[in-house]
Amino acid sequence: AGLSPERRAALGASLPLVQRDYRFERVWFWGCIQGVRGAYYIAEGLGPDRAAPRSRLYSLNCLDWSLLTPATKEMLALAEQVKGRFQGDPSFEYSLAEINAEAAARLIESGKEPVIKEEARLIATIEQIDRAVGIVPRGAFVKTPLGSVHENRHFEGLSLVEAKKLSSYFHFTEPVNLKNKTLLEKADLDPSTDFLDSLEHDIPRGSWSIQLEKGGTVVVLRSLLWLGLTFYHVPMTKQFGYVYFGTGEKNLDLPFML
């Protein structure tokens, strides 16, 4: 999976304009969700605080970008009910009456239509993927005493030995397991760099595949839970990132495949 030269050229021209128009500090190309009739190209805009909620935009042609609204709990719950491929049309409506009669009844009672638009499903899916498999190397970001998160200027990359370990990578989202650790376990952690959850305790175990490519000069992590997410890091350098090229469907069969 990848981008054609035309798409790359379009992104190279349009993303700097998005950064300027929306006044983002940085813009990342997040990836592509492939639908039946078209594809959604996703970008994320970042502000000074890297841990703050990110602004997300989508495009159908890599030139014209539309800002997505933030994901809500209700949106995430409804999107989990929808199964199957994306259509590639943001205005397409899924009927909840066919998917989940209880959820549809609740919406009718509250005076809302029992439908979910594909755009809402897209917002929820991007949020789910970022929470579950959006990762960064340990030490790439630091937390200030005031609570904001910034890129670590002193980060020079992981060593090759460290880069092969799952414990050297963190979920770049609100920590969950960290709060459950005992004081004894927290004693060895550096609060400025170890403020996120590491990948070593991810459930199900074995949901990450680590490979060395280009003669051991690039470490690649692939998620088996969200097929299509690939993270790379060049050891001893500041180069790292992840991209998603997939159908936007979670691999629910993974526990039976491991």
Side-chain angles (χ1 to χ4, degrees), residues 92-239:
F92 181 82
E93 293 183 341
Y94 298 93
S95 171
L96 276 177
E98 298 169 15
I99 302 161
N100 187 320
E102 284 181 28
R106 280 199 301 272
L107 280 177
I108 292 167
E109 280 174 24
S110 60
K112 295 176 184 173
E113 283 190 65
V115 293
I116 177 171
K117 281 199 169 184
E118 182 149 285
E119 191 176 55
R121 186 189 176 194
L122 179 70
I123 293 166
T125 303
I126 297 167
E127 181 69 23
Q128 284 177 320
I129 293 172
D130 258 347
R131 282 187 192 178
V133 289
I135 59 174
V136 293
R138 180 179 184 269
F141 292 87
V142 290
K143 191 172 190 176
T144 65
L146 297 173
S148 59
V149 175
H150 301 281
E151 286 174 24
N152 185 0
R153 293 180 183 178
H154 303 293
F155 177 69
E156 292 299 334
L158 301 169
S159 66
L160 189 57
V161 176
E162 289 293 315
K164 292 179 191 174
K165 298 177 185 173
L166 272 182
S167 56
S168 299
Y169 302 95
F170 290 153
H171 288 283
F172 199 39
T173 184
E174 192 67 31
V176 178
N177 299 333
L178 195 66
K179 295 168 186 171
N180 303 328
K181 288 196 172 185
T182 62
L183 288 172
L184 198 62
E185 288 173 312
K186 286 182 180 177
D188 297 330
L189 302 179
D190 181 345
S192 66
T193 53
D194 299 318
F195 58 92
L196 299 167
D197 287 334
S198 81
L199 267 59
E200 59 183 333
H201 302 301
D202 276 15
I203 298 170
R205 291 216 161 192
S207 62
W208 288 98
S209 146
I210 299 185
Q211 290 152 348
L212 294 176
E213 295 188 4
K214 292 195 175 179
T217 56
V218 181
V219 179
V220 173
L221 275 78
R222 290 187 175 90
S223 173
L224 304 179
L225 189 61
W226 287 95
L227 294 170
L229 185 121
T230 305
F231 169 90
Y232 77 94
H233 175 49
V234 182
M236 307 306 291
T237 74
K238 293 185 176 187
Q239 292 181 41

Side-chain angles (χ1 to χ4, degrees), residues 15 40 48 65 73 82 189 197 212 215 218 224 238 253 257:
L15 288 183
Y40 295 103
W65 295 88
K73 284 184 181 178
V82 184
L189 302 179
D197 287 334
L212 294 176
V218 181
L224 304 179
K238 293 185 176 187
D253 297 328
M257 296 165 76

